[in-house]
Amino acid sequence: MSDNEGTKKPKKVLGTVHVDRDRCKGCAFCIEFCPTHALELDKGFNAKGYHPPVLARPDDCNGCDLCGLYCPDFSIFGVMTKVA
Amino acid sequence: MSDTATNPVNPYLRLERMPSIWCPGCGIGTSVNCFARALTQAKLDLKMTSIVSGIGCTGRVSGYMSLDSFHTTHGRAIPFATGLKLANPDLNVIVYSGEGDLMAIGGNHFIHAARRNMDLLVVCVNNFTYGMTGGQVSPTSPGGATYTTAPFGQFEEPFNLPHLADSCGAVYVSRWTTFHVRQLTKSMREAMTKKGFRFIEVISPCPTLYQRRNKLGDGLDAMKFYKESSVVKNGADTRDLNIGFQTPITVGNFVNRSRPSFIEAQNKRYTEVFGPSYKPYPEGPHGNGANA
Ligand SMILES: Cc1ncc(C[n+]2csc(CCOP(=O)(O)OP(=O)(O)O)c2C)c(N)n1
Ligand code: SF4
Ligand code: SF4
Ligand code: SF4
């Protein structure tokens, strides 16, 4: 009915991750179980020789913090940044 | 993104002790994330919460948490925790240890604390082996798997831990794997605010010993196996919860009952016997049956 009906978009939650690269032991739990597959293993190494995760697809991260729940070395967590 | 964001687990950790000694892909740290979030959600008074461990890779948890922590001797976490609880009933006392520690050398303490309904929460990380000492058979080691002490395959009947806890009288019993982070967090939270002997089994990868010896890949392979092969059955009969070598793992919340705790039973008995001259012993944070 209203004029802007066609322009209404479903709300999209945006988020990001914080990575403490030197705590990471490269297990890839975060990458495997991120529901939006936003993470990838970095090609580079950290000080201990592991590949930490990077947010390869930032637009796909919703800040759900599942990566944070899975990470056994407490080296990543997700936060919501805004609802667009 | 602000630089002030902190990992929700950080306030619960002794950060100066990081990194942990745990191997890459070990699941113990994942269970700690769930535990930290459950502590937040259950709104426990952290000044009145203590964590007690025995010895083992899992036994390290107490020393990594920024709570009042006690790293006791092998197998003796539960008797230590019992004394702590009875000397100061206002404390929330949580035992966090491995299945070798709690169910082999500490097995006798476990069954009697459950029988007496001692007001303790026991989190048992079950990785099917003695991790810290190099991969020996533990009381949950599945038949057929090989170990340093069973090079031709383990042939003893393993414990089904939820059934053991249930038959000994635990009031809350659940089992999850480290894949089930949300469900595990919820069970931990529920169990934290309930009174009596509460037991949570956490099935967890040990890539370095159990898995390497049995050619089961790394920590991520174990997590994928849990994802594919776990069956959620809340309320399942605990007799049906045996775990074989790489067989499907039944997970869920199985028992949630109430019966008098040790202190309640003591107060009831002595009030009957001594009448008003008996001054009831304080019942602690979950007293008055509010959460029973
Ligand atoms: C009295 C005594 N006996 C034996 C040991 C050696 N020991 C240390 S840890 C452990 C078993 C650990 O296994 P578990 O509890 O399953 O923990 P995990 O390392 O797998 O997390 C043993 C036998 C000890 N420290 N003290
Ligand atoms: S916060 Fe959620 S969506 Fe973002 S990377 Fe972590 S698991 Fe993926
Ligand atoms: S889960 Fe943690 S330790 Fe494992 S790869 Fe991701 S950041 Fe690294
Ligand atoms: S030996 Fe096994 S249980 Fe111990 S830290 Fe390594 S993976 Fe974890």
Side-chain angles (χ1 to χ4, degrees), chain B residues 119-133:
Chain B
D119 189 18
L120 303 174
L121 166 59
V122 176
V123 178
C124 175
V125 174
N126 176 7
N127 52 23
F128 306 111
T129 193
Y130 291 0
M132 177 153 277
T133 45

Side-chain angles (χ1 to χ4, degrees), chain B residues 28 55-59 73-74 76 97-102 105 125 127 129-133 136 138:
Chain B
I28 299 170
I55 304 297
C57 299
T58 312
T73 51
H74 191 34
R76 311 304 170 209
S97 215
E99 89 288 1
D101 183 77
L102 287 167
I105 187 170
V125 174
N127 52 23
T129 193
Y130 291 0
M132 177 153 277
T133 45
Q136 294 84 0
S138 90

Side-chain angles (χ1 to χ4, degrees), chain B residues 71-179:
Chain B
H71 196 182
T72 69
T73 51
H74 191 34
R76 311 304 170 209
I78 285 178
F80 185 96
T82 299
L84 196 61
K85 179 71 198 179
L86 293 182
N88 189 348
D90 287 337
L91 290 179
N92 302 296
V93 183
I94 298 165
V95 171
Y96 212 118
S97 215
E99 89 288 1
D101 183 77
L102 287 167
M103 306 299 174
I105 187 170
N108 207 38
H109 303 300
F110 180 84
I111 61 177
H112 292 291
R115 174 182 63 78
R116 297 156 127 183
N117 202 18
M118 198 52 69
D119 189 18
L120 303 174
L121 166 59
V122 176
V123 178
C124 175
V125 174
N126 176 7
N127 52 23
F128 306 111
T129 193
Y130 291 0
M132 177 153 277
T133 45
Q136 294 84 0
V137 167
S138 90
T140 59
S141 294
T146 62
Y147 291 88
T148 50
T149 50
F152 307 109
Q154 204 287 106
F155 51 80
E156 301 169 17
E157 181 73 23
F159 268 150
N160 159 352
L161 295 181
H163 182 47
L164 179 68
D166 182 12
S167 1
C168 294
V171 295
Y172 188 95
V173 180
S174 68
R175 171 199 280 159
W176 298 102
T177 76
T178 48
F179 167 72

Side-chain angles (χ1 to χ4, degrees), chain A residues 9-42:
Chain A
K9 275 189 285 180
K11 281 193 176 167
K12 186 174 190 282
V13 183
L14 290 178
T16 191
V17 295
H18 297 261
V19 183
D20 185 340
R21 288 174 59 92
D22 283 334
R23 273 204 210 171
C24 171
K25 295 179 189 162
C27 69
F29 290 5
C30 57
I31 293 159
E32 178 73 21
F33 299 120
C34 166
T36 67
H37 308 289
L39 299 168
E40 272 176 22
L41 278 185
D42 193 357

Side-chain angles (χ1 to χ4, degrees), chain B:
Chain B
M1 142 170 48
S2 86
D3 289 322
T4 55
T6 47
N7 191 326
V9 74
N10 277 3
Y12 297 94
L13 295 176
R14 295 174 195 248
L15 291 171
E16 71 282 5
R17 293 190 158 209
M18 295 295 123
S20 71
I21 57 142
W22 297 319
C23 308
C26 175
I28 299 170
T30 301
S31 77
V32 170
N33 286 318
C34 301
F35 182 62
R37 282 152 178 85
L39 281 170
T40 308
Q41 294 168 12
K43 300 191 176 70
L44 290 196
D45 179 357
L46 299 182
K47 292 250 175 296
M48 294 303 287
T49 303
S50 330
I51 180 164
V52 185
S53 295
I55 304 297
C57 299
T58 312
R60 292 287 176 142
V61 170
S62 61
Y64 289 146
M65 304 295 298
S66 60
L67 297 167
D68 284 336
S69 311
F70 299 92
H71 196 182
T72 69
T73 51
H74 191 34
R76 311 304 170 209
I78 285 178
F80 185 96
T82 299
L84 196 61
K85 179 71 198 179
L86 293 182
N88 189 348
D90 287 337
L91 290 179
N92 302 296
V93 183
I94 298 165
V95 171
Y96 212 118
S97 215
E99 89 288 1
D101 183 77
L102 287 167
M103 306 299 174
I105 187 170
N108 207 38
H109 303 300
F110 180 84
I111 61 177
H112 292 291
R115 174 182 63 78
R116 297 156 127 183
N117 202 18
M118 198 52 69
D119 189 18
L120 303 174
L121 166 59
V122 176
V123 178
C124 175
V125 174
N126 176 7
N127 52 23
F128 306 111
T129 193
Y130 291 0
M132 177 153 277
T133 45
Q136 294 84 0
V137 167
S138 90
T140 59
S141 294
T146 62
Y147 291 88
T148 50
T149 50
F152 307 109
Q154 204 287 106
F155 51 80
E156 301 169 17
E157 181 73 23
F159 268 150
N160 159 352
L161 295 181
H163 182 47
L164 179 68
D166 182 12
S167 1
C168 294
V171 295
Y172 188 95
V173 180
S174 68
R175 171 199 280 159
W176 298 102
T177 76
T178 48
F179 167 72
H180 299 89
V181 284
R182 295 229 190 272
Q183 297 94 323
L184 176 59
T185 304
K186 184 163 180 276
S187 291
M188 286 177 162
R189 184 216 313 149
E190 271 175 18
M192 281 173 188
T193 53
K194 192 177 162 73
K195 180 163 59 170
F197 191 87
R198 296 142 282 159
F199 177 69
I200 298 178
E201 178 184 18
V202 186
I203 307 291
S204 173
C206 172
T208 303
L209 293 159
Y210 173 64
Q211 287 168 246
R212 188 165 56 175
R213 179 168 282 273
N214 287 289
K215 301 190 170 55
L216 300 176
D218 61 12
L220 185 60
D221 290 311
M223 295 288 275
K224 289 180 183 166
F225 173 75
Y226 301 156
K227 180 179 178 184
E228 285 151 19
S229 308
S230 300
V231 185
V232 181
K233 268 193 207 162
N234 290 311
D237 186 327
T238 58
R239 286 172 297 187
D240 301 332
L241 302 179
N242 290 322
I243 300 176
F245 183 61
Q246 294 297 90
T247 59
I249 300 172
T250 305
V251 294
N253 297 316
F254 308 122
V255 174
N256 194 348
R257 60 163 83 97
S258 58
R259 66 187 187 91
S261 71
F262 177 87
I263 293 177
E264 284 172 326
Q266 172 182 269
N267 283 340
K268 180 168 177 286
R269 177 69 186 167
Y270 288 171
T271 304
E272 279 163 13
V273 174
F274 299 111
S277 68
Y278 176 71
K279 187 169 166 291
Y281 200 68
E283 278 182 31
H286 319 305
N288 309 320
N291 296 297

